[in-house]
Amino acid sequence: MMSLSQDVRYGARMLWRQPGFTLVAVLTLALGIGANTAIFSVINAVLLRPLPYADPDRVVSVKKIKRTGIPGITGLEYLEWRETQSFEAVAAHTYNNFNLTGDGEPERLPVAQVTANLFPLLGVQPLAGRAFLPEEDAPGRNQVVIVSRGFWQRRYGGDPSLVGKTITLNETPYTVVGVMPESFRFPGGYDLWMPLALNEAVEREGKRMSLIEVVARLRPGVRLEQARAELEATGARVAETREEGAATSLDVVPLHQQLVSGLRTMLLLLFGTVGLVLLIACANVANLLLARTAAREKEMAIRAAVGAARWRIVRQLLTESALLALAGGALGGLLSMWCIAPVVSLIPESVAGSIQGVSEIGADARMFAFTFGVSLLTALVFGLAPALQASKPDLNESLKEGGKQARGWRGGRLRSAFVVFELALTLVLLVGAGLLVRSFDRLLRVEPGFKSEGVLTMRIDLPRSRYRQSAQMLGFYEQLLERVGALPGVASAGIVNHRPFQGHGMVAFFDLEGVPRLDRETERPIPAGVVSPAYFHTLSIPVAEGRAFNDGDTKEAMQVAVVNAAFARRFYPNESAVGKRISFDCKEERELCRTIVGVVGDVRQEELTTEPTPEIYVPHAQGMMGGMTLMVRVSGGDPLALAGAVRAQVSAVDKDQPVSQVKTLGQYVSEATARSRSLTLLLVMLAGIALVLAVVGVYGVVSYTVAQRTHEIGVRMALGAQGGDVLRLVFGQGLRLVLLGVAAGLLSAFWLTRMMESLLFGVSATDPVTFAGIALLLGAAALLACLIPARRATKVDPMVALRYE
């Protein structure tokens, strides 16, 4: 310990005496270590930290993988799966929204409807009150609710007397029986939980098809494969009694894996990227240390001459490397705190609301341990090669008067190898960033099918308890549209059951005139939208053929429909779809009661990356629904400035009716590209850092070479060499390094970029344009770094270079 203490004190003094070298090395390492720490903090919270449930490894999610037919798990399937021997317990859940009224401002709340056994299955207990009783999970007896701690604090100030009191949801009284702890978020960021209350008799008779999600707890010792096989057998048996056919397959995966499935590839890509940046930083610092140890060669020779063992010299130099790495790690840890937020922004709200750790990402013991471990590993990576190189000096040459210049070439090959290594890694990062940039550019060029500028949106859900009849719903929305349309600055207003990028509100199998009946085993159901006559005009969706809806399309008038262009192409490719009849809300099965009167442009209802699918629209007067999204196009200015006035009109029609999801349509379009934008920006920034480090590395090695060969260059020029000859000599050495690095990088990128294929849109992972462009960019930057010291070499004065000290 005494000897180690001496090494630390001596190393600190040596670093202090060279502040320029120390500052550059520490900052370089801080960039690499800080980026790794930031990404690790997110990976730790999202991928590594177990879910806060009892024995979380045994909690699984059951998914039905079905490419055709009605998607999702039905209530009947859940009821059958409850008897699965592989499971200790099976629970179901779905989501809904309820209006809270009679207690301050009306509010629309996200609600999770769960079976009573969900909380015991997960092994969680309410913070206050109790969980649901089994008898409360039945129709007519489910007027109880458990609230989240966040909602309890926000709405009621944490009043402990709330438990046992009644709140009004959708005009129905519900008794609050419990408050869940802050750490409980399953199945997402919901404010309330209430019993699902499946009607078992109705589900088994097939009179209702409830679509739900299922979680289960495996029995001890049961493997996923066993549970999957048993469910497959059960699913096949249930499918025989159902018209929509069997599922393609059933999957049983750990719940944690299911929650983070969409993030794993992205986070691992980022972690691999920052790992490469750290390796590049290590190569740069290793080159700095090689140059530094070459300057200290006489010191090392004297140490060896007086009896210092090779290991003793290696330990001294590794101690100095460790001091650099720890200083870089400390600074990198601080930098990482600023880098976490951009990474967290990549996580969708749905996932962030389901995983406790996302809201708690920050400094913790595991992060500090990771930073410390990476710092020590980094010290070994960049410090070992220079230490070994310096630990075996040639005593005869090093102790001569002119030994320093004579020994200037020691480590030259190693320095060149480090440069090739970091150039190759940099090219891999640049190619990855380039592919994401091209992918994001393609994404921005996608036409969503509507004009989002100047459109305000808000969600309105009329409770069935108050609006029992379609005529009541129709009256509310018609009065609201009339009031909103009369507001100053409003160009037009319309409603739709599901806005763009929200998916499809309804899907069903329709019969179509002149088209064979859709096979529920092999075909997808057709989405249907309910819209007001002004909806297409409000979103500037073009009418390609026929007409859009008008005020004459009332409930008493002829039943009509409008289809999108994808529908017309799919089912009527060689004739007009206008005038064809379809079945929708008909009194008798197989009746074709609705006539297509128009074809409109395609709208990307799901994602920008998802191609439009066939879709049917019906006028809201002929297919009224309680839950609709109001679309308001303003004639100028910020649409959000009208939000208060539109809210006031909703209250004027029904003072107890809340609104939710108040945003502009442009915000939704921006959110559709936000994840790709953030990932691209992060990777471009990291690749930019790598490019700077690589260029600096090339410049440093070539500059050091010029400095060491000054005497040789002077001799050459004294013997008649011209400036061009010297330029070619030095530049040629740099060119060889650059070509080797680019070639190695292209081969590596061709293999590694295939791993990010799922993150790309409209561009191949081996896109030749990107590969060629990035190779030229890196080559040009690196060659420019070579050119500067090469030009300086041409200005060497032979008389000065040949002077012998």
Side-chain angles (χ1 to χ4, degrees):
M1 293 301 297
M2 181 74 69
S3 178
L4 179 61
S5 176
Q6 291 174 350
D7 287 346
V8 171
R9 290 198 302 271
Y10 181 77
R13 285 198 303 271
M14 293 300 294
L15 295 176
W16 183 259
R17 290 175 183 174
Q18 295 179 303
F21 162 81
T22 303
L23 181 61
V24 171
V26 168
L27 288 177
T28 301
L29 292 172
L31 287 173
I33 296 175
N36 276 268
T37 300
I39 301 298
F40 173 79
S41 298
V42 179
I43 288 178
N44 176 45
V46 177
L47 301 183
L48 302 182
R49 187 177 295 166
L51 296 175
Y53 310 139
D55 296 324
D57 292 340
R58 291 200 287 130
V59 181
V60 298
S61 173
V62 181
K63 291 293 179 182
K64 185 162 67 170
I65 304 173
K66 191 169 187 179
R67 302 181 187 280
T68 58
I70 298 293
I73 296 171
T74 65
L76 174 61
E77 288 169 319
Y78 158 70
L79 294 174
E80 294 290 336
W81 292 348
R82 288 188 309 181
E83 308 303 322
T84 303
Q85 295 301 308
S86 298
F87 296 139
E88 194 174 88
V90 182
H93 62 90
T94 187
Y95 67 92
N96 210 326
N97 293 279
F98 283 72
N99 292 344
L100 174 66
T101 55
D103 185 11
E105 287 293 322
E107 186 177 358
R108 187 69 174 170
L109 300 176
V111 178
Q113 295 176 287
V114 303
T115 53
N117 66 334
L118 176 68
F119 302 119
L121 183 152
L122 298 176
V124 295
Q125 293 291 331
L127 177 69
R130 63 171 175 84
F132 298 131
L133 303 176
E135 57 268 23
E136 292 171 336
D137 193 12
R141 306 183 63 181
N142 60 328
Q143 276 74 46
V144 291
V145 67
I146 296 175
V147 303
S148 70
R149 189 177 188 276
F151 170 77
W152 179 49
Q153 293 284 353
R154 172 175 58 82
R155 181 85 184 194
Y156 297 99
D159 181 7
S161 65
L162 178 65
V163 176
K165 287 188 175 179
T166 298
I167 60 175
T168 302
L169 300 170
N170 284 3
E171 306 292 321
T172 303
Y174 284 78
T175 302
V176 178
V177 298
V179 178
M180 295 305 294
E182 181 68 26
S183 61
F184 184 75
R185 300 177 184 274
F186 188 80
Y190 293 97
D191 288 330
L192 308 175
W193 291 267
M194 61 175 56
L196 180 58
L198 281 176
N199 190 322
E200 185 168 338
V202 172
E203 295 289 341
R204 291 190 183 280
E205 291 174 6
K207 296 180 180 179
R208 179 182 177 185
M209 185 181 293
S210 302
L211 297 180
I212 56 178
E213 296 185 51
V214 172
V215 294
R217 177 175 289 276
L218 293 173
R219 294 187 185 275
V222 174
R223 300 191 308 274
L224 292 175
E225 294 76 12
Q226 293 175 254
R228 191 178 296 117
E230 187 176 358
L231 281 180
E232 290 278 4
T234 304
R237 186 171 62 252
V238 174
E240 293 176 358
T241 65
R242 304 292 287 187
E243 189 177 0
E244 75 273 7
T248 302
S249 63
L250 292 168
D251 200 11
V252 181
V253 298
L255 179 60
H256 191 191
Q257 178 181 327
Q258 172 63 30
L259 292 175
V260 303
S261 59
L263 293 175
R264 185 179 300 275
T265 300
M266 180 190 68
L267 290 178
L268 292 180
L269 170 67
L270 284 175
F271 199 45
T273 299
V274 295
L276 294 181
V277 171
L278 182 56
L279 286 176
I280 294 170
C282 287
N284 246 359
V285 176
N287 263 333
L288 289 174
L289 286 176
L290 281 171
R292 182 170 177 266
T293 52
R296 297 173 64 186
E297 190 168 3
K298 183 170 289 189
E299 173 197 340
M300 300 300 130
I302 293 173
R303 283 173 172 264
V306 298
R310 186 182 182 190
W311 163 242
R312 186 68 181 79
I313 297 175
V314 170
R315 194 182 73 180
Q316 173 63 55
L317 295 177
L318 284 179
T319 300
E320 296 177 18
S321 298
L323 291 174
L324 286 174
L326 290 175
L331 181 58
L334 295 176
L335 291 175
S336 70
M337 303 305 295
W338 298 336
C339 300
I340 289 176
V343 182
V344 173
S345 68
L346 297 173
I347 303 175
E349 291 183 9
S350 59
V351 177
S354 303
I355 302 176
Q356 173 194 358
V358 172
S359 61
E360 301 172 357
I361 296 175
D364 59 10
R366 187 175 289 186
M367 189 198 84
F368 286 125
F370 174 83
T371 305
F372 182 73
V374 167
S375 299
L376 293 183
L377 180 62
T378 299
L380 188 63
V381 169
F382 72 76
L384 185 59
L388 291 175
Q389 182 72 43
S391 66
K392 48 179 182 180
D394 187 325
L395 299 184
N396 291 329
E397 293 294 333
S398 298
L399 296 177
K400 288 180 181 179
E401 183 69 18
K404 183 177 178 180
Q405 286 190 358
R407 301 293 298 157
W409 278 103
R410 285 177 54 81
R413 290 183 178 178
L414 191 56
R415 282 190 293 272
S416 298
F418 279 134
V419 168
V420 171
F421 176 72
E422 60 181 311
L423 282 173
L425 294 184
T426 300
L427 190 134
V428 171
L429 293 182
L430 287 172
V431 167
L435 289 172
L436 284 178
V437 168
R438 283 178 59 81
S439 173
F440 184 61
D441 178 66
R442 296 285 179 88
L443 188 63
L444 292 180
R445 295 173 185 270
V446 172
E447 287 294 336
F450 55 86
K451 293 183 179 179
S452 61
E453 299 81 6
V455 177
L456 174 70
T457 75
M458 59 180 63
R459 181 72 181 178
I460 300 172
D461 291 271
L462 303 179
R464 284 282 184 180
S465 53
R466 174 177 293 193
Y467 296 88
R468 303 178 190 276
Q469 304 296 326
S470 297
Q472 294 175 292
M473 300 178 190
L474 181 62
F476 172 91
Y477 283 113
E478 288 188 339
Q479 187 177 353
L480 176 63
L481 289 173
E482 182 180 353
R483 284 175 168 272
V484 171
L487 288 175
V490 173
S492 63
I495 55 174
V496 60
N497 62 329
H498 270 59
R499 60 166 174 78
F501 305 133
Q502 195 180 15
H504 301 285
M506 296 182 294
V507 292
F509 286 101
F510 303 112
D511 289 328
L512 312 175
E513 183 180 0
V515 177
R517 194 175 194 190
L518 297 181
D519 186 346
R520 302 193 178 200
E521 291 277 357
T522 60
E523 299 278 358
R524 290 174 177 266
I526 302 174
V530 177
V531 301
S532 66
Y535 170 73
F536 301 116
H537 173 68
T538 301
L539 264 63
S540 299
I541 300 172
V543 178
E545 186 181 0
R547 67 172 178 89
F549 300 131
N550 55 45
D551 292 337
D553 295 320
T554 62
K555 187 175 183 179
E556 295 75 20
M558 179 183 72
Q559 301 293 288
V560 295
V562 167
V563 300
N564 67 347
F567 181 100
R569 291 191 302 270
R570 167 68 177 82
F571 298 110
Y572 300 103
N574 301 316
E575 56 184 319
S576 174
V578 175
K580 301 296 183 182
R581 293 182 302 159
I582 64 173
S583 64
F584 183 93
D585 196 22
C586 299
K587 295 181 180 179
E588 297 182 10
E589 186 180 2
R590 304 301 301 273
E591 182 183 0
L592 302 176
C593 62
R594 199 171 287 271
T595 302
I596 298 174
V597 295
V599 178
V600 298
D602 294 327
V603 173
R604 295 184 183 257
Q605 284 291 132
E606 298 178 26
E607 298 177 346
L608 280 174
T609 57
T610 304
E611 289 296 324
T613 58
E615 188 170 7
I616 295 171
Y617 297 97
V618 297
H620 74 300
Q622 297 179 0
M624 194 65 245
M625 299 180 66
M628 304 292 282
T629 297
L630 175 65
M631 301 280 188
V632 182
R633 179 172 291 280
V634 301
S635 54
D638 182 9
L640 288 175
L642 272 177
V646 176
R647 282 178 185 267
Q649 298 308 313
V650 175
S651 296
V653 179
D654 184 345
K655 64 180 179 60
D656 292 326
Q657 179 58 46
V659 299
S660 59
Q661 303 174 26
V662 181
K663 291 184 179 181
T664 67
L665 192 55
Q667 285 177 298
Y668 285 115
V669 174
S670 179
E671 289 173 3
T673 61
R675 184 176 173 186
S676 180
R677 180 187 302 110
S678 298
L679 180 60
T680 301
L681 181 60
L682 277 173
L683 211 61
V684 167
M685 290 175 59
L686 292 171
I689 293 172
L691 178 61
V692 171
L693 292 175
V695 169
V696 169
V698 172
Y699 173 81
V701 166
V702 177
S703 294
Y704 181 79
T705 300
V706 170
Q708 293 298 318
R709 300 181 69 177
T710 300
H711 184 80
E712 174 196 340
I713 292 171
V715 172
R716 288 175 178 270
M717 297 186 73
L719 294 176
Q722 301 299 312
D725 299 322
V726 174
L727 183 67
R728 283 191 294 273
L729 174 69
V730 178
F731 190 76
Q733 181 190 1
L735 178 62
R736 286 192 294 272
L737 297 179
V738 172
L739 291 177
L740 284 173
V742 169
L746 286 174
L747 291 175
S748 302
F750 187 80
W751 176 64
L752 290 173
T753 53
R754 298 171 185 269
M755 300 179 184
M756 58 185 295
E757 199 158 8
S758 62
L759 301 174
L760 302 177
F761 171 73
V763 61
S764 167
T766 55
D767 178 48
V769 175
T770 303
F771 274 65
I774 293 300
L776 290 174
L777 171 66
L778 178 60
L783 290 177
L784 180 62
C786 297
L787 184 61
I788 296 173
R791 286 178 58 84
R792 188 167 64 244
T794 64
K795 296 178 173 58
V796 170
D797 187 340
M799 298 303 296
V800 175
L802 294 176
R803 185 177 299 153
Y804 180 79
E805 296 182 3

